[in-house]
């Protein structure tokens, strides 16, 4: 099946870079930096050093003034690089939103006076429709707004919203009644009831969330902000105390002079967690962008964060763990009959059966025999009916039937036949294995059993194993009986299952886990799933589901693929891992910068500090300037990592912590030593120090 995807935007698309550069300059407005206190203080430092440079040009030596000017320049570069990272991620989100806006158009609508195809109507613009209005949509017409089908059934093309080329059925009643404004009816007619006010449609909410810039901070982000503010406060105190110590020591010893304003600001900027503060907005917005690449819309930024903390996962069996339709896997003859007799009867009874089960029987016969040969003109198909619970075909004087054990048994006995002694054992064997037994008969003779089985999706067991490694418990929810549920659960490798589940059972289970302190995620598409979706911490609704399900969820899957819940969890964890990795790198950076800045700032007063110049930096001025330049350059160098995210690795939290500490902690210590030394060598060569 072909699928249209939204265009992938690289980390450095030329158009996005141009827009991000312009936005970076606009964000220099101090009022726009209030949301990022660390960078606000860096910008204030840039303003102060710039003023100091301008004053120094007229009242100090050229060398001192130019040193201040260079520091000031790189402080501004630090702020601009931070703004660039945020602007680039926002621009990617807005580019996604632009593709959605193309689907949002004003179209004419037939507003009915009653819920009837024969009712009179007034033609109005879709912009004038209000919640509760009744609208008729005919073939090849665009659905004017979000709504519920109240009459009829139609084939709808949702490619404008989902990118999926295959049309879907939308009908009144059941779990597939929701329609989205901007999609097109391509066959039949339907009457819908508008469920949203103008500007509040599903598409409007998607556009708002995809733009990302309006995304509210999550609890984890707020906690990290508090950490950054705390560290910033500590380093401000360090800077103030450094000046006090240097001033006192210079006055009492008569050696050197107190640390200058430029040096103190450079000390603060290099020690403060500027790297993570600069990249934090990009990490969160990039997470939403990665979800959008999967055709998934997060209606709440907190939902992505919560997905990263999920430790209990509830999944429907049908369509999530299994393919959704049971397939024939084996023929089991009874009463001494051959496989050939059973397959021949199965072929005739299923040749005109258009159900997925019927088609799978034909496929299995073809796999086993290499051919399928039937003369359709001699066959009269017997469709399945709720009354008889059998289907089959008439071929002249012969009648072939397949169906449930009790239904076929009844039909055979009514024809004067007998039931083979081994039939019940074969039926029980299939049922105990979690399958569905279909009994096949020819006139009054029972030939055998077809084993219909739920087929697991490829790789699903391995994915559950990966989730178990990172501490996530998987629970399968199904309406099947306990025997079938237990069999499928064992094959899939889930940790637990809930059989014969009703809506209140799902809700109760979610509450119980939450009361025990777990974060719970689940999928759903029906109205009966809405209560549980509303209760879950991460609720993924299918786009083809009902309006109540979509309204109860905080994540919408446009492709209606329930297995994406596993991808959403991985992206949530990827965001947390990325943030943790960059925070570790940022804090580890300070160790190297400490050895560059502190000796340089105080060596005039305390010559003994020269022993701390372990990098062998040329002069105090080059050491400070090298640290400031490295502090600025590391931000754009880490932008691709912030946007792409740290690769998700399925391992326990303790091992993950050790891994991040080794890679990003050790890397954060080593990289500045190398980077600052290289920059110092370049500066020494350029300035002939």
């Amino acid at each position: 099946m072909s699928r249209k995807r939204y265009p992938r935007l690289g980390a450095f698309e030329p158009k996005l870079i141009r827009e991000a550069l312009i936005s970076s300059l606009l964000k220099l407005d101090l009022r726009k930096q209030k949301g990022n206190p660390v960078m606000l203080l860096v910008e204030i430092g840039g303003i102060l050093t710039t003023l100091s440079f301008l004053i120094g040009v007229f009242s100090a030596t050229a060398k001192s003034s130019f040193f201040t000017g260079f520091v000031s320049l790189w402080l501004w570069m630090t702020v601009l690089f931070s703004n660039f990272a945020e602007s680039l991620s926002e621009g990617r989100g807005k580019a996604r939103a632009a593709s959605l806006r193309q689907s949002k158009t004003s179209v004419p609508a037939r507003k009915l006076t009653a819920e009837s195809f024969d009712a009179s109507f007034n033609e109005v613009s879709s912009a004038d429709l209000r919640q509760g209005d009744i609208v008729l949509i005919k073939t090849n017409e665009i659905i004017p707004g979000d709504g519920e089908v109240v009459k009829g059934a139609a084939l709808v093309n949702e490619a404008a919203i989902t990118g999926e080329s295959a049309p879907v059925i939308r009908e009144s009643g059941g779990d597939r009644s929701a329609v989205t404004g901007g999609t097109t009816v391509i066959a039949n007619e339907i009457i819908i009831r508008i469920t949203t006010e103008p500007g509040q449609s599903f598409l409007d909410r998607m556009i708002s969330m995809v733009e990302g810039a309006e995304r509210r901070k999550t609890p984890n982000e707020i906690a990290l902000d508090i950490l950054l503010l705390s560290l910033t406060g500590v380093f401000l105190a360090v800077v103030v105390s450094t000046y006090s110590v240097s001033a006192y020591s210079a006055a009492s010893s008569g050696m050197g002079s107190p640390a200058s304003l430029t040096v103190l600001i450079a000390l603060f900027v290099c020690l403060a967690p500027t790297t993570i503060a600069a990249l934090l907005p990009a990490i969160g917005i990039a997470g939403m962008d990665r979800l959008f690449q999967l055709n998934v819309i997060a209606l709440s930024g907190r939902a992505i964060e919560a997905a990263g903390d999920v430790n209990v996962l509830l999944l429907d069996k049908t369509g999530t763990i299994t393919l959704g339709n049971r397939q024939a896997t084996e023929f089991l003859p009874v009463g001494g009959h051959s496989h050939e007799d059973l397959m021949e009867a199965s072929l005739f009874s299923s040749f005109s059966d258009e159900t997925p089960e019927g088609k799978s029987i034909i496929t299995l016969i073809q796999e086993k025999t290499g051919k399928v040969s039937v003369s359709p003109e001699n066959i009269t198909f017997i469709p399945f009916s709720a009354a008889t619970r059998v289907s089959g075909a008439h071929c002249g004087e012969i009648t072939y039937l397949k169906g449930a054990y009790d239904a076929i048994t009844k039909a055979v006995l009514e024809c004067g036949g007998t039931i083979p002694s081994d039939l019940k054992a074969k039926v029980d064997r299939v049922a105990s294995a979690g399958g569905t037994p279909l009994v096949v008969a020819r006139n009054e003779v029972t030939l055998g059993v077809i084993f219909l089985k739920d087929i697991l999706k490829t790789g699903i067991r391995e994915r559950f194993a990966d989730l178990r490694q990172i501490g996530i418990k998987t629970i399968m929810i199904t309406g099947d009986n306990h025997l079938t549920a237990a069999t499928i659960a064992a094959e899939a490798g889930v940790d637990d299952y809930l059989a014969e589940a009703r809506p209140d059972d799902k809700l109760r289970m979610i509450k119980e886990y939450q009361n025990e302190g777990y974060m719970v995620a689940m999928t759903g598409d029906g109205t009966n799933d809405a209560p549980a979706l509303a209760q879950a911490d991460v609720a993924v609704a299918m786009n083809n589901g009902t309006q109540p399900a979509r309204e109860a969820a905080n994540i919408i899957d446009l492709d209606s693929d329930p297995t994406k819940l596993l991808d959403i969890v991985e992206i949530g964890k990827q965001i947390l891992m990325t943030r943790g990795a960059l925070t570790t790198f940022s804090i580890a950076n300070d160790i190297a910068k400490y050895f560059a800045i502190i000796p340089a700032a105080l060596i005039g007063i305390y010559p003994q500090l020269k022993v701390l110049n372990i990098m062998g930096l040329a002069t105090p001025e080059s050491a400070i300037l090298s640290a400031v330049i490295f502090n600025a350059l590391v931000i754009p160098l880490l932008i691709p990592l912030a946007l792409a995210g740290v690769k998700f690795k399925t391992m326990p939290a303790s091992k993950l912590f050790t891994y991040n500490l080794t890679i990003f902690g050790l890397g954060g210590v080593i990289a500045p030593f190398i980077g600052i030394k290289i920059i110092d060598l370049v500066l020494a060569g350029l300035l002939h120090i």
Side-chain angles (χ1 to χ4, degrees):
M1 180 183 295
S2 63
R3 183 185 301 283
K4 169 191 169 186
R5 286 294 184 191
Y6 299 105
R8 292 191 64 86
L9 301 177
F12 297 104
E13 283 281 320
K15 182 180 179 182
L16 293 183
I17 288 179
R18 290 193 298 270
E19 294 175 351
L21 288 173
I22 295 173
S23 180
S24 300
L25 295 172
L26 297 177
K27 285 178 181 287
L28 290 176
D29 185 341
L30 288 174
R31 293 169 297 182
K32 296 183 178 180
Q33 293 286 2
K34 289 181 180 179
N36 195 338
V38 178
M39 300 314 299
L40 174 63
L41 291 175
V42 174
E43 185 170 347
I44 292 173
I47 294 172
L48 293 176
T49 52
T50 300
L51 292 175
S52 177
F53 165 70
L54 294 175
I55 294 171
V57 168
F58 300 102
S59 60
T61 64
K63 183 178 180 180
S64 175
S65 296
F66 278 113
F67 169 71
T68 302
F70 278 126
V71 172
S72 177
L73 171 65
W74 283 99
L75 292 184
W76 284 111
M77 295 299 291
T78 302
V79 178
L80 284 172
F81 288 153
S82 171
N83 291 348
F84 179 77
E86 183 174 3
S87 299
L88 186 61
S89 57
E90 289 176 359
R92 286 157 61 94
K94 290 174 181 176
R96 309 293 184 203
S99 66
L100 287 174
R101 277 202 182 89
Q102 296 175 1
S103 305
K104 187 173 174 59
T105 56
S106 180
V107 298
R110 296 184 185 86
K111 181 179 174 182
L112 300 177
T113 57
E115 292 183 11
S116 171
F117 288 102
D118 298 326
S120 59
F121 65 87
N122 296 316
E123 191 165 295
V124 300
S125 169
S126 58
D128 296 327
L129 292 174
R130 295 293 182 269
Q131 187 173 357
D133 287 347
I134 306 299
V135 180
L136 170 66
I137 304 103
K138 297 185 177 182
T139 303
N140 295 325
E141 292 182 350
I142 296 175
I143 296 174
D146 292 0
E148 289 272 354
V149 179
V150 294
K151 278 189 179 298
L155 207 57
V156 179
N157 182 354
E158 296 185 339
I161 304 298
T162 67
E164 174 59 73
S165 59
V168 294
I169 295 175
R170 293 289 176 261
E171 56 189 348
S172 60
D175 292 342
R176 301 185 182 275
S177 59
V179 292
T180 303
T183 57
T184 305
V185 172
I186 60 176
N188 300 335
E189 300 178 357
I190 50 174
I191 295 176
I192 70 169
R193 180 185 294 109
I194 300 296
T195 54
T196 59
E197 295 290 347
Q200 300 176 2
S201 69
F202 177 58
L203 190 56
D204 289 316
R205 286 186 291 147
M206 286 199 300
I207 292 172
S208 174
M209 292 309 304
V210 169
E211 285 182 319
E214 301 174 14
R215 187 181 65 90
R216 294 187 297 174
K217 290 187 176 181
T218 67
N220 279 327
E221 283 179 301
I222 294 172
L224 185 54
D225 280 344
I226 294 173
L227 173 63
L228 297 184
L229 285 173
S230 301
L231 291 175
T232 301
V234 168
F235 289 126
L236 274 175
V238 169
V239 169
V240 172
S241 62
T242 299
Y243 174 76
S244 301
V245 170
S246 66
Y248 174 79
S249 299
S252 60
S253 65
M255 295 178 58
S257 58
S260 67
L261 176 65
T262 301
V263 171
L264 292 174
I265 291 175
L267 174 64
F268 167 74
V269 170
C270 287
L271 296 186
T274 51
T275 304
I276 186 60
L279 296 173
L280 184 58
I283 295 170
I285 298 173
M288 300 185 74
D289 179 72
R290 286 195 291 277
L291 273 183
F292 193 69
Q293 285 293 340
L294 294 175
N295 267 9
V296 176
I297 301 297
L299 301 181
S300 163
R302 284 177 170 80
I304 310 177
E305 289 284 345
D309 289 327
V310 160
N311 37 34
V312 174
L313 210 54
L314 305 183
L315 307 103
D316 287 329
K317 184 204 74 174
T318 305
T320 304
I321 295 174
T322 65
L323 293 175
N325 296 306
R326 299 189 175 196
Q327 298 183 8
T329 59
E330 189 177 358
F331 295 105
L332 305 172
V334 297
H337 294 284
S338 66
H339 278 84
E340 289 71 20
D341 281 347
L342 176 56
M343 284 191 288
E344 181 186 53
S346 300
L347 172 62
F348 281 107
S349 64
S350 305
F351 188 78
S352 298
D353 187 349
E354 293 298 323
T355 66
E357 291 82 2
K359 291 179 179 179
S360 74
I361 293 171
I362 301 300
T363 300
L364 183 60
I365 293 172
Q366 191 165 23
E367 289 176 358
K368 290 185 173 297
T369 65
K371 60 180 180 179
V372 174
S373 179
V374 176
S375 301
E377 62 272 11
N378 299 326
I379 298 175
T380 304
F381 182 59
I382 304 172
F384 176 85
S385 74
T388 63
R389 292 191 298 145
V390 300
S391 63
H394 293 299
C395 300
E397 299 297 323
I398 303 175
T399 299
Y400 297 98
L401 294 177
K402 70 177 188 297
Y405 167 74
D406 54 349
I408 294 296
T409 299
K410 179 182 177 182
V412 168
L413 293 176
E414 288 178 350
C415 292
T418 58
I419 306 302
S421 58
D422 56 344
L423 176 61
K424 186 65 167 62
K426 295 288 179 70
V427 169
D428 290 343
R429 170 191 157 187
V430 172
S432 63
T436 299
L438 273 186
V439 181
V440 179
R442 182 179 59 213
N443 290 337
E444 74 282 2
V445 179
T446 304
L447 300 175
V449 179
I450 303 174
F451 191 150
L452 293 181
K453 184 179 180 181
D454 275 311
I455 305 299
L456 296 180
K457 289 191 173 180
T458 303
I460 197 75
R461 186 181 180 88
E462 290 73 17
R463 298 196 73 180
F464 287 148
D466 290 341
L467 291 174
R468 189 176 300 107
Q469 286 186 22
I470 57 176
I472 295 180
K473 181 177 182 178
T474 52
I475 302 174
M476 182 185 77
I477 302 176
T478 178
D480 287 339
N481 60 61
H482 287 275
L483 184 60
T484 300
T487 302
I488 298 300
E491 289 184 9
V494 295
D495 298 305
D496 201 355
Y497 66 90
L498 178 65
E500 300 177 354
R502 298 171 300 178
D504 54 329
D505 295 326
K506 302 176 188 177
L507 183 60
R508 174 184 50 78
M509 175 175 277
I510 291 174
K511 287 182 177 180
E512 287 176 354
Y513 276 108
Q514 289 175 330
N515 289 337
E516 294 175 11
Y518 292 97
M519 293 285 287
V520 183
M522 78 161 289
T523 62
D525 59 1
T527 300
N528 62 345
D529 292 322
L533 286 170
Q535 182 67 34
D537 299 292
V538 178
V540 183
M542 304 298 102
N543 189 42
N544 63 6
T546 62
Q547 190 70 15
R550 295 199 299 183
E551 290 178 354
N554 48 25
I555 294 178
I556 307 292
D557 174 22
L558 300 182
D559 290 335
S560 300
D561 178 4
T563 59
K564 282 191 188 173
L565 182 57
L566 306 179
D567 296 312
I568 293 167
V569 169
E570 289 185 2
I571 289 176
K573 287 193 174 293
Q574 187 181 39
I575 291 175
L576 296 179
M577 287 174 58
T578 303
R579 189 174 297 145
L582 291 181
T583 301
T584 303
F585 184 90
S586 178
I587 295 174
N589 257 311
D590 294 339
I591 297 175
K593 287 182 283 188
Y594 170 87
F595 283 100
I597 291 284
I598 294 295
L602 301 177
I603 199 170
I605 303 172
Y606 303 108
Q608 300 89 337
L609 291 178
K610 187 176 181 180
V611 71
L612 294 179
N613 184 18
I614 60 177
M615 285 184 274
L617 303 179
T619 67
E621 289 80 8
S622 71
I624 292 171
L625 190 54
S626 297
V628 172
I629 292 174
F630 176 84
N631 192 69
L633 290 178
V634 76
I635 294 173
L637 291 176
L638 290 175
I639 287 177
L641 178 62
L643 294 180
V646 173
K647 186 177 180 180
F648 176 75
K649 294 182 179 294
T650 53
M651 61 178 70
S654 58
K655 290 186 177 180
L656 187 60
F657 175 77
T658 304
Y659 173 83
N660 281 340
L661 194 62
T662 302
I663 300 298
F664 296 98
L666 190 60
V669 172
I670 295 174
F673 276 98
I674 298 173
I676 290 173
K677 180 60 179 178
I678 292 174
I679 295 171
D680 180 75
L681 291 173
V682 173
L683 289 177
L686 292 176
L687 302 178
H688 305 291
I689 297 175

